Every structure is written in C-alpha cells, then in structure tokens.
Amino acid sequence: MLPIDSADADERLQDVLREGITAEDLPAVFPLLRGRGLLRAFSALFHGGEAQVLLRLLVLRTLGARAHAPEWTPAEIRDQLAFVEPVKLETVVQRLKEHELLSWDSETLRYRISPLGRKALAAVSTLLEFERDDEDGLGYLTAQLAAGQAVGRISADELGHLLSRLSELKEDFDRAVLSGSEHRIRRAAARLDSVWTWVEKGTEVVRAIADSDELDSAKHRLAQAVGRAQSALLRQAGVFQRELNKIDQHRVHLGRTGLSSSDLVAWLRSLTPDALTQYADEAHRLPIQPPFVQDQIALDVAEYELLERERVAAESTELPSAEATPTTHDLPIDEEDLSPLLDWHGVLAAVTQPFELTDALRGDDYALSAYRLSLLGLLGDPESSALQGPTADLARLPLKLEIEPRLVDPGLAAIALVSAGRLHPKEPTDA
C-alpha cells in the first residue's frame, strides 16, 4: 500500500464538502491538514482488522523498546520476532517503512524508528499506560495538560477537553444524588475516589497555568473555568456524605438482627439471576402476612396526606392588595408638652432684681435643671428672637446672663457643682 498523495487527499476531502466550500477556508479543517503526516501515520497503524493493527503495534513497540541500540538489522528483527510468521513480518516492516514510521539507512543497512514513528509510539504508549487505572480518562487529560504546562506549550484544546470531562463527571454525580438511590450514590462516591488524585493534581496544574502572565485571554478564561469545575468536583464528596446520612436516617432495620434494608438490597444485587430464580421457586404459594406493612412508614405517609397536604392547599400565598400612600395629614402627631418651658418663661418674666443662677436652676430633678440651663443660652440671641414660638418668646425676655469662671455648690441633691452666675434685668441702655 503506497502513501496517499497530497493532491489526492485534497481531492477526496473536497468531494465530501458542499459546492463552493474550500477545505483550507474552514478553521476546523486547517489543523488537520497541517498535521496530515502524523494522521497518515496513524492511518497506516490502525487501518484494517484488529489482528493486523495489533501486529503492527507489536512490531513498532518491539523495535522502539531497545534504547541502548536503536538500530536494527533485518536479521535482528527476524530473530527478535521469530514467533511471527516471516511473510507477515516482512509485510508489516515494509508497510511501516513506506509510511515513514521506520527509516532505512542505506549506509549501515539498518532500520531505526523515525521521528514520526517515535511520536506515534509515545502517544500509543501513554494511552496504554493510563488505560489500566484511568477508566474515566481524567488522568490522561490531566497528564497531557501538565506536560504542556511544563514545557510552556498550553493548548486550548487540552483545556477544553479537561473542562468537558469534568463537566460530564459533575453531571453524572448530580444525577446520582437526584436519584436518591443509595447504590448509585455509593457507586458515584467510589468513582469520585478513583479520580480524586487526578483532580487534586489538575488543580495544582491549572493554578500554575492561571497565574502565568504569558497566557492569552481565551486560554486564561478556559483555565479559570477548569478551576471552578475542579472545585465543584472536590465539594462533591460532602454532598455524597450528606445524602448518605439522610438515607441512614430513613433506613428500615429488619427486627433485632442488625441488618437493614440496604444490606438486603446489596445482598440481592450480589446474586446471579439463577440464584434469584431458585429463591423465587414456590414463593407464590406463601400467604401474604399483614405485618409486611411497616407502621412507621405508614404513619409518615398518613401524616403527609392528612395534615401536610391539606395545610399546603389551605395556605394563602396571594399578595395583599395595593393601598394608597397616606398623606401627612393622616399621620398621627404627638402633641409636645411645653408646660416646663411655659412655667420657666413665667418665672423669668417676673425677674426684676439680680437672680442667682443656683436659684434659677433649682428644679425637681437633674433633667429639669439641665433643661433650664440650656435655655438660658438663648437669652438675647438675635436669631432665636426672630423666630416664632415659646422658645423665641423666652429669647426676647429683657434679661442678660452673667457667668463667672468658678464653680459653686448649688446645694441641690442632683447637682454637685455649677458655674457661679446670675441673671440681670436689662437696663434701657442695654436694650
């Protein structure tokens, strides 16, 4: 089988496209055309039946496994693979040579794995290595991303593949939780445990990628999305545990044996169909006993049907009708008690002689004395006198306040010290 000519490949690809569409103009096709040589190598490896594919991979892996002496003579190949039929072996070697997976050195008359063959061999070896304990494929995708990050070649495709796989796993886990099945939740929890190491390693790799200053905006957004998906997956263990705790609360125990309904279900799942049919023989002849009804479950169902359902149906969830905003005239206004001010105004209006401050402040309690002292500061204030009301009337009284820079004992139980001073009636000259 000869290599496919590039013109033939373009012509065949053009045949599957609609009229007027050129393969080179499609962004999704361009990377495939650029890697045509590598794809042709994989086509040479995997084209045909399973036995032929396995034989080609066997020959290529055998020739690539000898690291200390990478070159092979035809006799060495025949001796190393003596268990393969000679004609079939010669055909495979020629096919690998024609598709540039093997190179022939005419000077030394030896075969060696070509650089293209090394790439294909490394890719296949990596896939086979992760196939043993990586059923979900998360390990392989994480390893590819870590390798790219280590050499500074981050691929948006690798980030996208990892994000898609994480989203698929999260959706599978959410479905297991929504099912309410203990078996599905435990199986999903075991599956999460199997990929836990890869998720943690992927978190470290993605954190290093996201902190890189050389990353373009599109890849940076993908890295952030991968980090969020990994965080959601790491939180899933707590979700599984909460759901299992809820199931444990409603688990039905079978008498005093210590067994539960979950144990019975697990045991039934472990039986083969033949064993189940043996236990079912003549089961239809057994009479149905009334104790098969669980009274606790029946009470729970009855409580919901008789009480909770009726309460929900009778509950009113309608919003109250709209009401007009009340005006200020309708608002309740408390009338202010001005009797202390009016009484104080009458006392001060009757002052005709100098009046000591200690006597002027004498009241029933400290609050009243402090209130009177605060009002004395308004005497003669032009701004307060220009207003209307009882406070303005007090400010217009013909009195002036004289305060000395010393403190005296007023002789009141509620006041320890007060400034010395007195009130004087204003003289005509003062007015």
Side-chain angles (χ1 to χ4, degrees):
M1 181 175 179
L2 297 176
I4 301 175
D5 185 68
S6 60
D8 296 338
D10 291 340
E11 196 172 345
R12 291 183 183 180
L13 181 59
Q14 192 65 42
D15 293 340
V16 302
L17 301 178
R18 299 179 62 178
E19 186 178 355
I21 303 297
T22 305
E24 286 78 1
D25 295 338
L26 298 175
V29 179
F30 178 74
L32 300 178
L33 295 177
R34 184 178 54 189
R36 181 182 297 153
L38 182 61
L39 297 178
R40 188 179 296 126
F42 278 103
S43 177
L45 279 174
F46 295 102
H47 182 75
E50 181 179 0
Q52 297 175 352
V53 172
L54 291 176
L55 180 57
R56 295 172 198 147
L57 291 176
L58 174 63
V59 173
L60 190 63
R61 286 170 58 85
T62 301
L63 299 183
R66 196 170 71 177
H68 63 282
E71 295 184 345
W72 294 77
T73 63
E76 290 175 338
I77 295 177
R78 289 191 297 268
D79 294 340
Q80 186 69 26
L81 297 168
F83 51 86
V84 180
E85 203 276 327
V87 178
K88 298 291 185 181
L89 178 60
E90 183 66 24
T91 303
V92 170
V93 171
Q94 289 299 320
R95 180 182 178 87
L96 296 178
K97 175 186 174 183
E98 291 170 357
H99 289 84
E100 300 179 357
L101 293 168
L102 288 179
S103 60
W104 170 256
D105 192 344
S106 57
E107 294 182 1
T108 60
L109 301 179
R110 285 180 172 87
Y111 289 101
R112 68 167 57 176
I113 304 292
S114 67
L116 182 61
R118 288 289 179 187
K119 291 181 180 180
L121 189 58
V124 173
S125 299
T126 305
L127 285 171
L128 294 176
E129 180 67 25
F130 280 95
E131 183 62 22
R132 293 180 298 177
D133 53 356
D134 186 32
E135 297 180 358
D136 289 300
L138 199 61
Y140 176 76
L141 296 176
T142 304
Q144 293 296 106
L145 187 63
Q149 187 268 336
V151 298
R153 297 178 64 89
I154 305 301
S155 171
D157 291 339
E158 293 173 354
L159 287 170
H161 294 325
L162 182 57
L163 177 60
S164 299
R165 190 63 192 128
L166 291 172
S167 301
E168 291 170 354
L169 287 174
K170 182 64 167 59
E171 184 177 358
D172 293 343
F173 293 156
D174 290 341
R175 289 180 180 177
V177 172
L178 291 176
S179 69
S181 170
E182 181 182 5
H183 175 70
R184 289 188 61 179
I185 293 176
R186 291 192 181 278
R187 186 172 60 184
R191 188 178 178 188
L192 178 61
D193 290 338
S194 66
V195 301
W196 189 269
T197 303
W198 297 117
V199 175
E200 290 182 333
K201 291 184 180 296
T203 302
E204 299 175 1
V205 174
V206 171
R207 185 183 294 114
I209 292 175
D211 294 340
S212 176
D213 297 334
E214 301 178 357
L215 208 63
D216 58 72
S217 58
K219 295 179 182 178
H220 192 270
R221 286 193 297 269
L222 272 175
Q224 290 179 330
V226 170
R228 289 192 293 268
Q230 289 172 334
S231 300
L233 213 59
L234 291 174
R235 293 192 298 267
Q236 197 71 35
V239 176
F240 288 153
Q241 190 59 48
R242 286 195 301 270
E243 294 300 321
L244 291 175
N245 292 340
K246 292 179 182 178
I247 293 175
D248 288 338
Q249 294 175 0
H250 298 85
R251 182 173 295 168
V252 178
H253 292 275
L254 307 178
R256 299 180 180 179
T257 61
L259 298 177
S260 65
S261 56
S262 299
D263 299 327
L264 180 59
V265 171
W267 176 71
L268 291 174
R269 288 181 179 274
S270 64
L271 298 179
T272 61
D274 294 337
L276 288 174
T277 55
Q278 291 178 3
Y279 283 108
D281 287 344
E282 301 182 356
H284 61 282
R285 299 183 181 181
L286 298 176
I288 299 178
Q289 299 294 333
F292 77 95
V293 178
Q294 298 293 331
D295 53 349
Q296 296 87 354
I297 299 177
L299 287 175
D300 290 342
V301 176
E303 181 182 4
Y304 173 75
E305 295 294 337
L306 298 177
L307 298 178
E308 296 297 333
R309 184 188 293 273
E310 298 298 330
R311 185 180 293 113
V312 172
E315 183 179 357
S316 176
T317 58
E318 295 182 359
L319 296 176
S321 58
E323 296 182 359
T325 305
T327 61
T328 56
H329 300 289
D330 299 333
L331 297 176
I333 301 177
D334 295 336
E335 295 183 0
E336 186 178 2
D337 185 11
L338 299 178
S339 57
L341 176 59
L342 297 177
D343 295 342
W344 181 234
H345 180 273
V347 172
L348 296 182
V351 174
T352 59
Q353 299 294 330
F355 192 31
E356 292 295 326
L357 184 59
T358 56
D359 297 331
L361 298 180
R362 191 178 302 276
D364 297 335
D365 53 14
Y366 174 80
L368 182 58
S369 300
Y371 176 64
R372 290 180 175 180
L373 181 61
S374 64
L375 292 176
L376 289 179
L378 300 177
L379 293 175
D381 182 43
E383 295 182 1
S384 301
S385 302
L387 302 176
Q388 299 294 327
T391 305
D393 295 339
L394 181 67
R396 287 192 289 267
L397 289 175
L399 298 173
K400 65 178 181 179
L401 177 62
E402 176 186 348
I403 297 180
E404 300 178 5
R406 61 188 180 88
L407 298 175
V408 297
D409 184 2
L412 301 177
I415 302 176
L417 296 172
V418 69
S419 298
R422 61 198 56 82
L423 291 171
H424 292 280
K426 285 186 178 181
E427 299 294 336
T429 55
D430 296 336

